[in-house]
Amino acid sequence: MTEKLHGFVEKLREKNADWVRDVIDRLSEVTIIVPGDSMVEICEFLRDSCDFDMLADLCGCDRGPEEDPRFEVNYHLFSTVHFQRLRLKALIAEDDARIRSVTSVWKTADWHERETYDLLGIRFEGHPDLRRILLPSDFDGHALRKDYPLRGYEPYSMN
């Protein structure tokens, strides 16, 4: 881990030790596992105190129905001041697949959160317009869930 990124992780720990559950440093990319219920506060701190002024991407992942917690939401941050990248990861339980929206921190989260909701069914509480963005509004289910049937829910004729 670069010295700068190590410093950002330490600043986060100093602010609140519970915010840093684990740190993964692989292939020069740093991922911090954080509690989902503190995501907005963590993002505000990283934006205001560590200059992570850009949300480059936000995406969800279905780890599989046999995994607990089943889902994860990944936040890819970038500092245009320090030219550093940082990934935050929140693990989300299947029976309560929701996390607070970070649209109040970065407006770019809007469409990323809608896409994650649409394809995985993870709800972003406080999102200003959480509705499907890619699939039709009457689409049944969430197409990127690992238990979604490959042929969809519509009966197909095998002629």
Side-chain angles (χ1 to χ4, degrees):
M1 176 176 357
T2 70
E3 197 171 313
K4 269 189 183 178
L5 283 175
H6 180 71
F8 296 137
V9 172
E10 288 311 308
K11 279 179 108 172
L12 202 56
R13 273 196 182 112
E14 288 170 12
K15 176 70 175 169
N16 188 331
D18 294 334
W19 285 355
V20 180
R21 293 196 171 155
D22 196 9
V23 178
I24 302 164
D25 184 6
R26 289 196 191 123
L27 303 172
S28 300
E29 291 192 10
V30 175
T31 301
I32 305 173
I33 310 295
V34 300
D37 58 354
S38 300
M39 186 58 74
V40 173
E41 293 82 6
I42 293 167
C43 289
E44 287 173 340
F45 178 78
L46 288 170
R47 180 197 62 197
D48 299 339
S49 300
C50 300
D51 298 315
F52 283 95
D53 52 351
M54 181 180 184
L55 175 68
D57 191 22
L58 180 159
C59 59
C61 177
D62 183 355
R63 297 157 25 112
E66 66 285 346
E67 295 292 328
D68 187 32
R70 178 175 178 173
F71 301 107
E72 61 186 49
V73 180
N74 294 284
Y75 299 76
H76 301 261
L77 310 183
F78 183 70
S79 170
T80 60
V81 175
H82 303 289
F83 301 103
Q84 296 288 317
R85 296 183 183 281
L86 182 66
R87 179 186 302 121
L88 303 177
K89 181 181 291 194
L91 302 175
I92 310 292
E94 179 178 13
D95 61 346
D96 192 22
R98 61 191 169 95
I99 190 168
R100 288 173 43 213
S101 172
V102 295
T103 54
S104 63
V105 183
W106 297 290
K107 292 196 183 306
T108 57
D110 186 343
W111 284 32
H112 296 296
E113 289 179 353
R114 284 181 59 191
E115 179 182 35
T116 302
Y117 163 70
D118 190 5
L119 298 176
L120 290 167
I122 298 170
R123 298 195 63 79
F124 290 87
E125 293 184 330
H127 189 282
D129 187 22
L130 193 62
R131 60 188 162 97
R132 291 195 182 271
I133 191 168
L134 297 172
L135 299 171
S137 59
D138 61 347
F139 188 84
D140 189 19
H142 302 282
L144 287 186
R145 285 194 175 194
K146 290 191 176 177
D147 55 2
Y148 188 80
L150 293 177
R151 298 192 74 175
Y153 290 118
E154 284 222 29
Y156 288 92
S157 134
M158 299 303 286
N159 295 352

